[in-house]
Amino acid sequence: MERFALEILKELDKSNPEKYEIVIPAYTKIVPPTKNIHVVYYGNIHGKLWVQTSFLWYVIKNKRTPLTFDSIAPLLRPGVVCIHDITFKVNKNYFGYSLRSKLSVVWRNLQYLVCIKYSPMIITVSEFSKREILNNYKCDKDKIIVIGNGWDHFASVGMSDEIKTNHPDYFTKPYFFSLSSLGENKNLSWILETAKKHPQYNFLIGGGAINSYANRFGKEPSANVHFLGYISDETVKYLMKNCKAFLFPSFYEGFGIPPLEALSIGAQIIISNASCLPEIYGTSAHYIDPHHPSDDLDSVLNERVDTPEAVLEKYRWCNISNALRSVLDHL
């Protein structure tokens, strides 16, 4: 969602920037790198409450139409909202049973309900997500506009092989690469079970808290699995460029940008045949059943796929922002 918001803002900054304002809390230190759109610092309330108080008051006082990118909007004036997916509605079991988790699920579902009912326009990132919304809420289908996501931010990212210097043991065998988290939808267990069946390869997994896997699940992964923790975009690009394939076995995604990034630098991608992924990637990807670990990744990679040019041309940030501009101009 952060990538989506940042790249959209950069594109809107290039054309008719006077139509837009960026409103952020007064204490914000990291500001989107736009050159033309006016930035307004407003309100000192911290956390999610800022959206429901300071931002709401700014919108009402100045007669603005709010545009929010992460499914969270001021409930009393939701405006145009991007709902990437409704996983908090359809996958409640993904978020655990602690009090905090339950409250988070309730809050997100309240946001979905109010925004879908009262927003003048909903934008989303795939036809799959649009169908999910229509299947779970009463809503005019013409009110939901699909605009997609992009990949071309990745073209400006450099490449660093520092990880190979620091960890030569990761590269003693050909490797598969993945970006993941411990979120249930990411299906990390598919990678771990598949790794056990392929000792001839290494499996490198980048992400945040995944290096605490053993602590959470009480067992160690096989010796050919290496958790990398947080890694830079430059390291991600290097690992994608040189892997046997990029793995993305998710159960549920609203879109899924990382496989696009991998395709853009010539990597093969092995992805789940679930949720939005076949819609986005078509015949440019190798597909697996996310419910069954693969016995033979080489056979999967031997299946014929088409070149990714059509997919990469469709999902560019300029195309996405043009679609969004059309929605806003219509309003």
Side-chain angles (χ1 to χ4, degrees), residues 106-131:
V106 170
W107 172 242
R108 284 285 184 167
N109 278 291
L110 177 61
Q111 286 280 332
Y112 294 154
L113 181 64
V114 171
C115 291
I116 291 167
K117 183 166 183 167
Y118 294 109
S119 294
M121 194 73 69
I122 298 293
I123 54 178
T124 192
V125 291
S126 64
E127 293 292 340
F128 168 79
S129 285
K130 180 174 180 175
R131 288 194 302 272

Side-chain angles (χ1 to χ4, degrees), residues 215-245:
N215 292 333
R216 176 168 174 178
F217 294 100
K219 57 183 178 181
E220 293 287 343
S222 55
N224 61 335
V225 173
H226 303 282
F227 290 121
L228 310 182
Y230 282 116
I231 51 179
S232 68
D233 286 349
E234 291 76 13
T235 299
V236 167
K237 194 167 188 176
Y238 175 81
L239 293 172
M240 285 180 170
K241 182 71 175 176
N242 294 283
C243 65
K244 277 188 69 70

Side-chain angles (χ1 to χ4, degrees), residues 101-252:
S101 297
K102 290 179 180 179
L103 290 175
S104 180
V105 168
V106 170
W107 172 242
R108 284 285 184 167
N109 278 291
L110 177 61
Q111 286 280 332
Y112 294 154
L113 181 64
V114 171
C115 291
I116 291 167
K117 183 166 183 167
Y118 294 109
S119 294
M121 194 73 69
I122 298 293
I123 54 178
T124 192
V125 291
S126 64
E127 293 292 340
F128 168 79
S129 285
K130 180 174 180 175
R131 288 194 302 272
E132 288 279 271
I133 293 170
L134 292 174
N135 289 339
N136 286 274
Y137 296 94
K138 291 182 179 180
C139 180
D140 180 358
K141 63 181 178 59
D142 294 330
K143 179 179 175 177
I144 306 173
I145 308 298
V146 177
I147 65 172
N149 256 305
W151 63 270
D152 34 322
H153 59 278
F154 209 53
S156 62
V157 173
M159 198 178 300
S160 171
D161 64 355
E162 184 178 5
I163 189 170
K164 188 172 184 179
T165 302
N166 294 337
H167 298 280
D169 53 311
Y170 294 173
F171 302 91
T172 55
K173 310 173 187 176
Y175 68 90
F176 290 86
F177 176 53
S178 181
L179 294 170
S180 188
S181 70
L182 288 176
E184 292 290 336
N185 66 304
K186 295 300 182 182
N187 196 14
L188 178 60
S189 61
W190 186 95
I191 298 174
L192 300 178
E193 292 303 314
T194 297
K196 292 178 183 178
K197 300 179 179 183
H198 295 80
Q200 73 275 30
Y201 298 124
N202 280 329
F203 291 77
L204 309 185
I205 306 172
I210 55 177
N211 52 5
S212 63
Y213 170 81
N215 292 333
R216 176 168 174 178
F217 294 100
K219 57 183 178 181
E220 293 287 343
S222 55
N224 61 335
V225 173
H226 303 282
F227 290 121
L228 310 182
Y230 282 116
I231 51 179
S232 68
D233 286 349
E234 291 76 13
T235 299
V236 167
K237 194 167 188 176
Y238 175 81
L239 293 172
M240 285 180 170
K241 182 71 175 176
N242 294 283
C243 65
K244 277 188 69 70
F246 179 74
L247 303 178
F248 202 72
S250 297
F251 290 123
Y252 190 91

Side-chain angles (χ1 to χ4, degrees), residues 30 41 69 112 145 155 161 199 207 225 251 260 263 271 278 308:
I30 300 176
Y41 294 85
F69 294 116
Y112 294 154
I145 308 298
D161 64 355
V225 173
F251 290 123
L260 269 185
L263 284 179
I271 64 177

